[in-house]
Every structure is written in structure tokens, then in C-alpha cells.
Amino acid sequence: MISFSKTRMGHTRRVLLAGLLAGTLGWGVGTTRSQESGSPFIYYPSTLPAKTWQLALGATFTTPPKELTEEVQVRAPAIDFHALYGLPSHFYLDGRVISQLLQNHISVGGRWTRSMGDFSVGAGYDVAYWFGFLTIGGFDSKANGWINYPSVTIGYNTGDVRLLFKTEAILNLFYRSYVGENEVESDANTFSGMSFMLAMEQPFWKDTHVTFGFRVTYTKFNWIMWSLYTTFDRYLYYPEFIVGFML
Amino acid sequence: MSARPLRISAAVLVCCLAGFAVPGDLRAGTPGDSTYSLVAYIGGGLARYIVAPGGPPPGVPVEYTRTGLSGTVRVMWHPDHLLRLGLESGWASFYSYKFGTQPSGEVSLSAVPLLVVWSMNVLGVDWFVGSGYYRLNSNLDFKGTVDVQTWSLGWMAAASYTHPLSESLGLAGEVKWMNATEHADAALNIQVQLVWKLLEW
Amino acid sequence: MRHPVLLIIAAALVSFSCRNEAEVVEPTDSSARLYEDVKPLRLGARAALEGVYRVVDGQDVFGNQVALKWSGVANGQDTAFTLSGFFGKDVAYFTAEGGSLDSTVFLHGTWRKMVNTETGLLRFVILAGNGGRQLMNPIPVIGKDSIILYGSWGNGSENPSRNLVLAYDRPLYAGKQIEVVAHRGGGRTSDLLPVSENSVEMILFTQRLGSTGIEIDVHLTKDGIPILYHDSNLNLRLTQKSGLVGPIEEYTYDQLQAVIRLIHGERIPTLQQALDAVVYRTSLRVVWLDSKPSISLKLLQQIQSEYLAKAAAIGRTLEIYIGLPSQEKVDEFLALPNHAQTPSLCELSPDIARQINARVWAPRWTLGTQNDLVAQVQSEGRLAFVWTLDVPDYVAEFISTGRFDAILSNYPSIVAYYNYVR
């Protein structure tokens, strides 16, 4: 459970993060996609040539824990847009938008990668802002927050398929929710949980490459479930399928 | 488990192992090909309910049957690379039990999967992973009969080896794990399937 | 090299897809028999022990104050009394039983944090000089720090060894009380309580959590028996694995009794069994009948009338409301004879509550405190309940700034805490 208090996130920090986000998504418009190896990637820890883009569009399907949804068991789909932008010295920027229209998650982060034969490793740090609103069916609710995700990825290239294992920590920096005229905030820097993903990236048909992944998240707070106002201080389990088509 | 299902299981297993001993080649859309194809898998075999079955309240006499029949209908699109995509359905008997005395009753549970399936051929074996829903069918016979269906989230994983019989026909042995997660139902299937290249372009 | 990597990844994938269900193992106290010789506390002593206490030692785990309150469950002519403590931190509570030996009070029980799975044993002693002697007086005189509970707590079934010391601070809030209405018959199965939701056992348990009322979910079986069950379908969330699936109203009462047990082994109760427990064994003041689509409101109206008469016959203060969660149920209610005099609870707009002369208007908590609307409804002689509010900070805000007459919650202990420490 998040511990709530009535303090606010610093304005300067929010402006800096918003600027970073806008800059990354807007930076380099007009440059063309380019891959050093010829095989595009999104999650695989590989080197992206400087000033080149890699885009992907797909979907995620998360099964919320029955502790929260109780009788209803569904795989909640979300649109998943990913953009990478190459930087010098094995670095690149990673921007991602996950949207269910009523709730959205926008992240921007940096990656560094290193290859060793068929293996490669990557390290990254993402800063995410999420927000949601619900004003129908007995709800007059909205919420938003900031989450950080430090991550490590290990990759293995079989030749036909690129396999990867990514693990990331989930750090909740800020949470605010409203119901009607009432408001609750928290800026406790909280370690909320971890996620682990196995994925493969490969050609599907002709030059179309796909990401096909399975991610499990053990966390006390998952932004995608904000409207259920969880009170559990327990690590709940969220399995998630990820499918992405590289553009 | 009675002797008959055991003999059938052993026969199916031998067929599967024999299949593994023969190099299979009924594979459209291997890397480098520029052709696409639609391949159907139709077959059946045995389902063994692997996890602890449900039952009546503690203390009530109960007698279980955990092995039954199962069938698969699957259509896969084989593009020009390693990964394939398709749909799967079929039917599987999960388990049944008789309970109580005077009056006694009987419960049986079966499932129809409706899954999106991905597959790859690695090491000469087709590996399938599917996700979707199971249509569970529960039948109760106790002071009247009740036949009820419900949906359950679920997945499946399977390994299959295909022995080619002709250009467009093959015989496959498949081991498949079915899991209807919402109701904690899981069965291991051993099946023989006819593999038929429906379409190639 | 590739094949072992694939195998490792496949094994990892399978292991990731496995999960351990959280569980709370009820602690067992091997020394409970040591308390067999204590004498039950008199009514006056029990009443004097109630109050708001400062947590002198143990604040890091339980917060800085606790509200102590007794509850009782009748069994024939006998009543078993339990002292509960409601903390403000982590929705923690304790329940304890005991009595006095000479002028010393001994209590033992368990503690639990509802937001997680932490639980354990708890023991208290009130020495003669720390309030024990005063509690034995016919009319105890109680003031700040006049009662000190020296206690110890432990995790699980381990012997309690860590300190928990409570000092009397002030009486429980005595102003206008908010009814603490517990969800699902008194508590939710997903909160890992020791008894199942919507069971008779839960109805008898819930006063320990501070509840003064309950909400129960009423379905109709295929043969027309009203039963308590929340979900539309039989499932593993609420019942033990049976092989039966699908809508519960497809089954007769006998079929459900023969095969189905709730998650902790209880039988699915009939509505009459549940109301018998409420009327004759508890002091609960409010019952909210949440009418599921299958239930006939005419039948509910008959049962409501029967049990209101039974409660009145034994001098019990009890309100039973027929909950109307949808327009379909409102239309069905309007077709009932004498509906305007039938106590009902409307979850729709205040206008509809007014139209059907509902005794209670009950909006969802996610609309906020809505103080103007609540005041308007109350000015018409109706009550306003809010559902289903669990977030502790919002509970605090709704109690301190809101005007609702009752809060429906899965965490009655935190509602009780903020109600009593005002």
C-alpha cells in the first residue's frame, strides 16, 4: 500500500521530466530508420546507429490479478507504441506510449548496450508518467503518477531469432488521485516490485519483424489498475503478453 | 487407471517416438522460402487430467476418472520465416467423479479450447504456444441434471513431430499441455494428428 | 550452444508462469489453556476498558493510537465477549479474550494487518496497580493513563516477545456515530480472513472487526431458495474446487449443499439462516440486502418483514434494507405492494431515491463526499450510505469532512478506528 501524505512533487523536477519526454519524441523527426546489423530490434540489447530511429507498434495483454478484479478475469489489451533513437557510444533513447485511452503511460529512458559474440547485455533507466480518468458509471475519478524503471537486459542471438531476458525494478515516485472534490497524494519513493520479461525478436513475413514476449510483474501497485484503488500491501502477479510489429 | 487406456497410451507413445526417429519434412515456409501456406492439424488421442481434481466436500465417498479422450483442430499460417500463427480448437475430457451413496451423484467436466497459437520449428520439432479461452462444460447428475458452460482464460503448450506421407500430407505425434487457468484445470494430451497443407501460394 | 539456451529459457518461462497464492496461516496459541482459570470481566469493567489508547511501545509496527471496543456473540444463553483493538496503521487490528484473576486482567489473542499477510499472537496484562484494581470496582473511575496494558506480540505462532504497551487516553468518540457496514457479510475472502465471505461464520466474526452492520449478496437458486453468494458464477475465488461451473442459479439448493463448499469449508447459507444469525446471535444494527438479478424482490420483501418482526419481538434495534442497484430492480420494487413503506436502499440518483421513498440513498465512493447532495437527502429524512470505501486516507477524509451516515467497507476496522478516535 502506498503511504499517503500531503506533499507535492517539485515543480522543477516535473518540468525537466516533461521536457525530456517532449524532446525525445520530437527529436530527429525526418531521419530514416537504420540498423547496423540489418535486423531491427526494440527490446533486444543491440547497438542502434546514431541519429537513426526504430519504431514499433503493437499491443500488450495484461491479466489483472483476481485479488483486484475478483469475478472478472480478462486480458486487458493496450496499444503499445515504441520509438528508439540512436546516440553515439552504444547509447540510445527509448520512448514508449502504452494507452488504453482512459489510462495512459508515457516513458522515456536511456539505454546502453554491449555485444560479446552471440551474447549482448544492456542497461537502462526509464522515467514514466501515467494518468487516468473515469467519469462514467458512478465514477468521478482521476489519478496520475511518476514511476521509474531501472533495467538490465541480456540477449542471445541464435541467428534466426534474437532471444532476450529483461528484468526491471518498479519505483513509484509520486501518486495523486481524486474522487469528486477529494484528493490524496503521496510522494514516497517506494520500491513497488519487479518485472521479468522473456521475448524473441525475429522476421515474421517478408521484411516484417515482430517482438513476441511474455512478461510477469510482481508489484504492489500497477498503474493500469489505478481505478480499482488497490489497498493491498502485497506483491500481486500480473502476467502480460506483448506483441509488437517493427515499423 | 484401467489397462485399456494404458495400452492406448503406450501405443500412442510408441507412434510418437517412431515419428521422432524419422526425419520429417512437411514444413512449408521454412526460412528462405518465399511461399506461404495454410496447414491444418486434425487429430485425437488421450487426455490425462494432471492436477488435483475438484470433488465433493470432505468425508463424502468419491470415485474419479481422470483419463479421457481429446481432439484437436488447428489451422496455422506458415509465412516465409520461422514464426507461424494460427487458431486452435478441439475438445478434451478433463475428469469425472461419482460421489455419495443414497442418493449418489456424478459430475463431469470437459473443455473446448479457443486459442490463438504461435509456433516455430526448432530441432525438427514444431513447438506451439497458445493463449485464449476455454469453454468449460460441467455436467451434474444429482437430484436432476444440470449442464452448464462457462469461459475460462487459459493457454496451451505443445510439441509435435510430423512424418511426411506425401507433398501435402503428414502424420504427427503431439504432446500437449492444456491449462484453463481460471478454474485451475490442466490436462496432458497425447495425440496423433493428420497434417494437411490446405493451401500454398 | 543454442539448445541449452532454449531449454533454460523454456524452463524460466514455465517457472515465471507459476505463482504462489498468498495465504494467512491462523496462529495457534499453545498457552491458551493458561487462561482457563480467569473470571470473565463484568459489564462495568468491560465498558471501562473501552477507549482510545496511546501506543507507548510498538508504534513502529502498529502506529501511535488504538481504539479498544468489545463485541459479543450469543450462543443460546451464553455470550462470548471479545476485545478488539483498531489501529490506524496498515489496517491492523487485534482480537483478544480473557478475564481477571484477583485484581489482574489477562488477555490473549491475535493481531493481523489486513493490507498484507502479517499476523501473530498477542498477550496483555493489566496489573492491579495499572488499572486492574480500578476495573474491579463496581463503578470504575477511568482517566488519562489510568489503565496500562502491558503486552507482547510475535509473528505467526511464535511466542510473543516484542513489546506492545497501551495507555488509556480518552473515551471513544461519543458524538453522532457512523454505522460501520461490512461488505460481503462482514469481510472479503480476498482479504484472507479466517472465514469465508457471505457465510454465517463471517456474520458471527465481523463484529470483531468493528462492524455495526453488514451487506449481504442474495441470489436465488433454481428451486427458489434465496442464498448468500456474491459472484454470478461458481468459481475458485469463492468456493473449493468441485468441477461445477457456471451461473449459481442453474443449481438447486440441494445440489449446492451436496457438492459446493465455500473457500474455508462453510456451506452456502440461505438468507433465513443468515438473518437468524444476525437477529439472535449478534448486535448488528444494519443489514443491507444486495439484490442480485435472479432474486425476487417480492420474496425479499416477505423475508425482510418477517425478520424485522422477529427483531422487534426480542427488543433488537435492527434495520433491514432491500438494496436496489439498478433501474431494473427499481422498476421491480415499484411494482411491489406497499413499496413506499418498505425499507429500501437506492444506489441510483437522489431523485430516484425520492421517487421510491427509499430510506437510504447510497452512492459509490468514487463520486466523492458530495456534501451538498448528502445534506439535501438527509433534510428529506433519508439516510446516506457510501460504498465501498477501503482506502484508509479517503476513509479518514470521508469521516472528517463528509456527512454520510454509514460507510460500507471491506476494512471495517479502519472505519471503526477513524470513527472512534475523532
Side-chain angles (χ1 to χ4, degrees), chain C residues 38-55:
Chain C
V38 301
K39 288 182 357 191
L41 294 179
R42 292 175 301 101
L43 174 62
R46 290 201 308 272
L49 197 48
E50 290 186 342
V52 178
Y53 288 68
R54 283 181 297 112
V55 178

PDB file of all heavy atoms in Angstrom, chain C residues 38-55:
ATOM      1  N   VAL C  38      -9.238 -17.761  34.498  1.00  0.00           N
ATOM      2  CA  VAL C  38      -9.618 -16.361  34.710  1.00  0.00           C
ATOM      3  C   VAL C  38     -11.141 -16.230  34.729  1.00  0.00           C
ATOM      4  O   VAL C  38     -11.863 -17.025  34.112  1.00  0.00           O
ATOM      5  CB  VAL C  38      -9.028 -15.421  33.637  1.00  0.00           C
ATOM      6  CG1 VAL C  38      -7.527 -15.488  33.634  1.00  0.00           C
ATOM      7  CG2 VAL C  38      -9.589 -15.753  32.254  1.00  0.00           C
ATOM      8  N   LYS C  39     -11.603 -15.221  35.468  1.00  0.00           N
ATOM      9  CA  LYS C  39     -13.047 -14.969  35.562  1.00  0.00           C
ATOM     10  C   LYS C  39     -13.432 -13.906  34.523  1.00  0.00           C
ATOM     11  O   LYS C  39     -12.712 -12.915  34.357  1.00  0.00           O
ATOM     12  CB  LYS C  39     -13.399 -14.439  36.960  1.00  0.00           C
ATOM     13  CG  LYS C  39     -13.310 -15.532  38.014  1.00  0.00           C
ATOM     14  CD  LYS C  39     -13.691 -15.112  39.405  1.00  0.00           C
ATOM     15  CE  LYS C  39     -14.051 -13.696  39.651  1.00  0.00           C
ATOM     16  NZ  LYS C  39     -14.158 -13.336  41.060  1.00  0.00           N
ATOM     17  N   PRO C  40     -14.561 -14.115  33.826  1.00  0.00           N
ATOM     18  CA  PRO C  40     -14.973 -13.114  32.837  1.00  0.00           C
ATOM     19  C   PRO C  40     -15.135 -11.740  33.482  1.00  0.00           C
ATOM     20  O   PRO C  40     -15.545 -11.631  34.644  1.00  0.00           O
ATOM     21  CB  PRO C  40     -16.321 -13.634  32.338  1.00  0.00           C
ATOM     22  CG  PRO C  40     -16.352 -15.073  32.707  1.00  0.00           C
ATOM     23  CD  PRO C  40     -15.518 -15.228  33.931  1.00  0.00           C
ATOM     24  N   LEU C  41     -14.811 -10.704  32.731  1.00  0.00           N
ATOM     25  CA  LEU C  41     -14.973  -9.338  33.249  1.00  0.00           C
ATOM     26  C   LEU C  41     -16.453  -8.967  33.286  1.00  0.00           C
ATOM     27  O   LEU C  41     -17.222  -9.363  32.407  1.00  0.00           O
ATOM     28  CB  LEU C  41     -14.222  -8.348  32.358  1.00  0.00           C
ATOM     29  CG  LEU C  41     -12.703  -8.475  32.327  1.00  0.00           C
ATOM     30  CD1 LEU C  41     -12.110  -7.437  31.370  1.00  0.00           C
ATOM     31  CD2 LEU C  41     -12.112  -8.304  33.722  1.00  0.00           C
ATOM     32  N   ARG C  42     -16.818  -8.215  34.321  1.00  0.00           N
ATOM     33  CA  ARG C  42     -18.202  -7.730  34.423  1.00  0.00           C
ATOM     34  C   ARG C  42     -18.453  -6.667  33.343  1.00  0.00           C
ATOM     35  O   ARG C  42     -17.523  -6.107  32.765  1.00  0.00           O
ATOM     36  CB  ARG C  42     -18.438  -7.097  35.802  1.00  0.00           C
ATOM     37  CG  ARG C  42     -18.413  -8.050  36.969  1.00  0.00           C
ATOM     38  CD  ARG C  42     -18.528  -7.300  38.275  1.00  0.00           C
ATOM     39  NE  ARG C  42     -17.438  -6.324  38.445  1.00  0.00           N
ATOM     40  CZ  ARG C  42     -17.559  -5.024  38.240  1.00  0.00           C
ATOM     41  NH1 ARG C  42     -18.702  -4.498  37.843  1.00  0.00           N
ATOM     42  NH2 ARG C  42     -16.537  -4.210  38.432  1.00  0.00           N
ATOM     43  N   LEU C  43     -19.744  -6.399  33.144  1.00  0.00           N
ATOM     44  CA  LEU C  43     -20.136  -5.396  32.146  1.00  0.00           C
ATOM     45  C   LEU C  43     -19.465  -4.052  32.414  1.00  0.00           C
ATOM     46  O   LEU C  43     -18.944  -3.401  31.495  1.00  0.00           O
ATOM     47  CB  LEU C  43     -21.674  -5.247  32.155  1.00  0.00           C
ATOM     48  CG  LEU C  43     -22.254  -4.139  31.267  1.00  0.00           C
ATOM     49  CD1 LEU C  43     -21.928  -4.385  29.797  1.00  0.00           C
ATOM     50  CD2 LEU C  43     -23.771  -4.041  31.440  1.00  0.00           C
ATOM     51  N   GLY C  44     -19.438  -3.645  33.681  1.00  0.00           N
ATOM     52  CA  GLY C  44     -18.842  -2.353  34.028  1.00  0.00           C
ATOM     53  C   GLY C  44     -17.360  -2.302  33.703  1.00  0.00           C
ATOM     54  O   GLY C  44     -16.843  -1.285  33.216  1.00  0.00           O
ATOM     55  N   ALA C  45     -16.664  -3.402  33.981  1.00  0.00           N
ATOM     56  CA  ALA C  45     -15.227  -3.442  33.697  1.00  0.00           C
ATOM     57  C   ALA C  45     -14.979  -3.429  32.196  1.00  0.00           C
ATOM     58  O   ALA C  45     -14.064  -2.754  31.704  1.00  0.00           O
ATOM     59  CB  ALA C  45     -14.622  -4.691  34.327  1.00  0.00           C
ATOM     60  N   ARG C  46     -15.814  -4.175  31.471  1.00  0.00           N
ATOM     61  CA  ARG C  46     -15.651  -4.191  30.006  1.00  0.00           C
ATOM     62  C   ARG C  46     -15.870  -2.790  29.444  1.00  0.00           C
ATOM     63  O   ARG C  46     -15.092  -2.312  28.613  1.00  0.00           O
ATOM     64  CB  ARG C  46     -16.642  -5.176  29.367  1.00  0.00           C
ATOM     65  CG  ARG C  46     -16.344  -6.638  29.634  1.00  0.00           C
ATOM     66  CD  ARG C  46     -17.015  -7.537  28.596  1.00  0.00           C
ATOM     67  NE  ARG C  46     -18.436  -7.271  28.460  1.00  0.00           N
ATOM     68  CZ  ARG C  46     -19.396  -7.843  29.181  1.00  0.00           C
ATOM     69  NH1 ARG C  46     -19.076  -8.727  30.115  1.00  0.00           N
ATOM     70  NH2 ARG C  46     -20.676  -7.542  28.978  1.00  0.00           N
ATOM     71  N   ALA C  47     -16.932  -2.131  29.921  1.00  0.00           N
ATOM     72  CA  ALA C  47     -17.230  -0.780  29.405  1.00  0.00           C
ATOM     73  C   ALA C  47     -16.101   0.191  29.747  1.00  0.00           C
ATOM     74  O   ALA C  47     -15.730   1.049  28.928  1.00  0.00           O
ATOM     75  CB  ALA C  47     -18.553  -0.290  29.974  1.00  0.00           C
ATOM     76  N   ALA C  48     -15.532   0.041  30.949  1.00  0.00           N
ATOM     77  CA  ALA C  48     -14.467   0.961  31.362  1.00  0.00           C
ATOM     78  C   ALA C  48     -13.186   0.753  30.560  1.00  0.00           C
ATOM     79  O   ALA C  48     -12.390   1.685  30.393  1.00  0.00           O
ATOM     80  CB  ALA C  48     -14.189   0.773  32.850  1.00  0.00           C
ATOM     81  N   LEU C  49     -12.998  -0.467  30.106  1.00  0.00           N
ATOM     82  CA  LEU C  49     -11.773  -0.777  29.358  1.00  0.00           C
ATOM     83  C   LEU C  49     -11.812  -0.201  27.934  1.00  0.00           C
ATOM     84  O   LEU C  49     -10.773  -0.004  27.294  1.00  0.00           O
ATOM     85  CB  LEU C  49     -11.590  -2.303  29.311  1.00  0.00           C
ATOM     86  CG  LEU C  49     -10.238  -2.891  28.955  1.00  0.00           C
ATOM     87  CD1 LEU C  49      -9.100  -2.250  29.747  1.00  0.00           C
ATOM     88  CD2 LEU C  49     -10.260  -4.384  29.212  1.00  0.00           C
ATOM     89  N   GLU C  50     -13.015   0.055  27.434  1.00  0.00           N
ATOM     90  CA  GLU C  50     -13.124   0.629  26.083  1.00  0.00           C
ATOM     91  C   GLU C  50     -12.566   2.054  26.068  1.00  0.00           C
ATOM     92  O   GLU C  50     -12.702   2.793  27.049  1.00  0.00           O
ATOM     93  CB  GLU C  50     -14.581   0.657  25.628  1.00  0.00           C
ATOM     94  CG  GLU C  50     -15.156  -0.716  25.348  1.00  0.00           C
ATOM     95  CD  GLU C  50     -16.561  -0.672  24.756  1.00  0.00           C
ATOM     96  OE1 GLU C  50     -17.227   0.383  24.880  1.00  0.00           O
ATOM     97  OE2 GLU C  50     -16.976  -1.683  24.182  1.00  0.00           O
ATOM     98  N   GLY C  51     -11.957   2.453  24.972  1.00  0.00           N
ATOM     99  CA  GLY C  51     -11.448   3.810  24.872  1.00  0.00           C
ATOM    100  C   GLY C  51     -10.371   3.927  23.821  1.00  0.00           C
ATOM    101  O   GLY C  51     -10.025   2.954  23.133  1.00  0.00           O
ATOM    102  N   VAL C  52      -9.867   5.129  23.693  1.00  0.00           N
ATOM    103  CA  VAL C  52      -8.744   5.378  22.779  1.00  0.00           C
ATOM    104  C   VAL C  52      -7.465   5.345  23.612  1.00  0.00           C
ATOM    105  O   VAL C  52      -7.374   6.030  24.638  1.00  0.00           O
ATOM    106  CB  VAL C  52      -8.890   6.740  22.072  1.00  0.00           C
ATOM    107  CG1 VAL C  52      -7.695   7.002  21.161  1.00  0.00           C
ATOM    108  CG2 VAL C  52     -10.188   6.786  21.275  1.00  0.00           C
ATOM    109  N   TYR C  53      -6.497   4.543  23.188  1.00  0.00           N
ATOM    110  CA  TYR C  53      -5.243   4.354  23.916  1.00  0.00           C
ATOM    111  C   TYR C  53      -4.075   4.849  23.069  1.00  0.00           C
ATOM    112  O   TYR C  53      -4.081   4.697  21.838  1.00  0.00           O
ATOM    113  CB  TYR C  53      -5.026   2.871  24.234  1.00  0.00           C
ATOM    114  CG  TYR C  53      -5.936   2.320  25.303  1.00  0.00           C
ATOM    115  CD1 TYR C  53      -7.303   2.178  25.087  1.00  0.00           C
ATOM    116  CD2 TYR C  53      -5.424   1.928  26.539  1.00  0.00           C
ATOM    117  CE1 TYR C  53      -8.147   1.679  26.067  1.00  0.00           C
ATOM    118  CE2 TYR C  53      -6.259   1.419  27.536  1.00  0.00           C
ATOM    119  CZ  TYR C  53      -7.617   1.295  27.284  1.00  0.00           C
ATOM    120  OH  TYR C  53      -8.443   0.795  28.264  1.00  0.00           O
ATOM    121  N   ARG C  54      -3.087   5.416  23.756  1.00  0.00           N
ATOM    122  CA  ARG C  54      -1.825   5.745  23.099  1.00  0.00           C
ATOM    123  C   ARG C  54      -0.984   4.483  23.016  1.00  0.00           C
ATOM    124  O   ARG C  54      -0.953   3.700  23.981  1.00  0.00           O
ATOM    125  CB  ARG C  54      -1.055   6.807  23.904  1.00  0.00           C
ATOM    126  CG  ARG C  54      -1.586   8.212  23.754  1.00  0.00           C
ATOM    127  CD  ARG C  54      -0.739   9.189  24.559  1.00  0.00           C
ATOM    128  NE  ARG C  54      -0.797   8.913  25.989  1.00  0.00           N
ATOM    129  CZ  ARG C  54       0.223   8.462  26.710  1.00  0.00           C
ATOM    130  NH1 ARG C  54       1.399   8.248  26.136  1.00  0.00           N
ATOM    131  NH2 ARG C  54       0.087   8.235  28.007  1.00  0.00           N
ATOM    132  N   VAL C  55      -0.318   4.287  21.889  1.00  0.00           N
ATOM    133  CA  VAL C  55       0.635   3.179  21.800  1.00  0.00           C
ATOM    134  C   VAL C  55       1.958   3.710  22.332  1.00  0.00           C
ATOM    135  O   VAL C  55       2.612   4.539  21.697  1.00  0.00           O
ATOM    136  CB  VAL C  55       0.781   2.671  20.351  1.00  0.00           C
ATOM    137  CG1 VAL C  55       1.811   1.555  20.277  1.00  0.00           C
ATOM    138  CG2 VAL C  55      -0.560   2.193  19.818  1.00  0.00           C
TER     139      VAL C  55
END
